[in-house]
Amino acid sequence: MNEDLGEPRDYLKLHFLVFVWGFTGALGELIQLPAVEIVLFRSAIASVVLGWIVRKTWRVPAKRALAMLATGCLIGAHWVLFFLAVKVANVSVCMVGIATVSLWTALLEPLMIRHRKLRRMDLIFGVCVIAAVAVIFQSELQYAGGFLIAITAAFAAAVFSILNGRFAATTPHRVISLYEMVGACGFCAACLPLSAFYLSEGRGLDLVPSASDFGWLLVLAVVCTVYAYSEYVSLLKRLSVFTINFANNLEPVYGMILGAILFGDYQTLGVGFYVGATAIAILVLAHTGWSRRKRLPIG
């Protein structure tokens, strides 16, 4: 998709979804399971719920099904890296690293989509976000490992978002989500040995969540995945991948607020973090206004 074709309500829905996704980092902090197990349960629960919702319309051509399952594996990798960054650093730092997704999208879309040209303004906005992230990074060097993991997760997010833009044109959004959640679940199941030996801090596999963990997992799977992720896929029919991913840069702002309220992150974050986060919020609002304005008739 080259241009945004959405109505004002699509932009409002997009920003509401970004607000919902802002809770995912906090949920990753609240859930005591390792990153791989969190995503395994998240995608498994979402697969069951989505399977019931689309039980009469889930069939698609085999080639497309395989492509969506493969994309689901990439989504699983993105989520594992995301929650790993939360565990290694904290909610706010992880979600700021994710903000680089807009630059990755601006660079990768012309390479992955035929006839998609590199838009100068997209690149400028993306570079400005990177500058804001750099301000934060320099002020929080103790979290460098978490930043780098989150930036890698952002790269994966840009790739699967572009791929989803192709599926959205031909397949119902909940069917896409079903196949991708099954793929993510399969990816995490294959990664369980890695989690047991390297990512669980010596606890081994942790496949029996506590009652509180299971409750938060249900929120993560049903609200942040079945609802929010499916609606995100549906918006790809009307809004460009870059616009959606750029709006996602507000996640750090919501994550920062939640991290401050729930976990006291503000006690360990310096002035540079807040300067960069404020700049990101301003850039997202400016890009939303620019995207809408260029579609309006002049005069």
Side-chain angles (χ1 to χ4, degrees):
M1 178 181 293
N2 290 331
E3 301 294 339
D4 292 324
L5 302 175
E7 299 297 327
R9 63 177 177 273
D10 292 321
Y11 290 90
L12 289 174
K13 178 183 282 189
L14 171 61
H15 285 280
F16 176 72
L17 295 179
V18 173
F19 176 76
V20 171
W21 284 329
F23 285 86
T24 57
L27 291 171
E29 185 74 21
L30 289 168
I31 299 169
Q32 299 302 307
L33 299 176
V36 172
E37 281 88 328
I38 290 176
V39 181
L40 177 67
F41 281 107
R42 175 185 189 175
S43 54
I45 295 170
S47 296
V48 171
V49 176
L50 285 164
W52 182 82
I53 292 173
V54 302
R55 60 192 180 278
K56 296 181 180 180
T57 59
W58 62 273
R59 291 180 178 82
V60 297
K63 185 176 180 181
R64 193 186 313 160
L66 289 173
M68 291 188 293
L69 288 170
T71 303
C73 292
L74 187 60
I75 294 169
H78 160 72
W79 282 344
V80 168
L81 290 169
F82 176 90
F83 289 117
L84 183 59
V86 171
K87 304 291 186 183
V88 170
N90 60 37
V91 175
S92 301
V93 168
C94 165
M95 300 188 82
V96 169
I98 293 294
T100 60
V101 69
S102 55
L103 180 62
W104 294 127
T105 303
L107 294 173
L108 291 173
E109 256 194 305
L111 298 176
M112 296 177 62
I113 299 180
R114 189 178 302 174
H115 307 309
R116 179 69 162 95
K117 296 181 179 179
L118 180 64
R119 293 196 296 190
R120 183 173 57 185
M121 288 302 297
D122 284 355
L123 187 59
I124 290 173
F125 275 108
V127 170
C128 288
V129 168
I130 293 298
V133 170
V135 171
I136 297 170
F137 187 88
Q138 290 178 357
S139 68
E140 308 294 339
L141 287 176
Q142 70 269 34
Y143 298 120
F147 259 122
L148 293 175
I149 294 170
I151 289 170
T152 305
F155 180 86
V159 175
F160 79 68
S161 296
I162 295 168
L163 294 174
N164 272 339
R166 296 178 175 181
F167 300 142
T170 57
T171 308
H173 60 282
R174 289 192 177 90
V175 174
I176 296 172
S177 299
L178 169 62
Y179 280 92
E180 291 181 343
M181 291 307 100
V182 172
C185 186
F187 172 83
C188 291
C191 289
L192 285 177
L194 177 66
S195 177
F197 286 104
Y198 299 106
L199 303 178
S200 63
E201 300 178 349
R203 290 184 295 168
L205 290 180
D206 194 346
L207 297 175
V208 184
S210 65
S212 62
D213 278 353
F214 188 73
W216 292 125
L217 284 167
L218 284 176
V219 174
L220 181 63
V222 176
V223 179
C224 299
T225 309
V226 173
Y227 168 71
Y229 185 78
S230 295
E231 290 301 314
Y232 140 76
V233 174
S234 73
L235 286 177
L236 286 168
K237 296 179 181 179
R238 300 179 296 280
L239 300 179
S240 73
V241 175
F242 183 88
T243 293
I244 290 175
N245 281 346
F246 200 86
N248 282 338
N249 290 323
L250 278 174
E251 275 196 52
V253 180
Y254 301 137
M256 177 184 67
I257 294 171
L258 288 169
I261 294 172
L262 298 175
F263 311 114
D265 285 355
Y266 62 89
Q267 298 175 5
T268 60
L269 297 172
V271 174
F273 181 91
Y274 297 100
V275 171
T278 301
I280 289 170
I282 293 171
L283 286 165
V284 171
L285 294 174
H287 180 267
T288 300
W290 174 76
S291 296
R292 287 288 304 152
R293 212 175 139 191
K294 68 186 176 127
R295 290 184 54 228
L296 297 175
I298 298 174

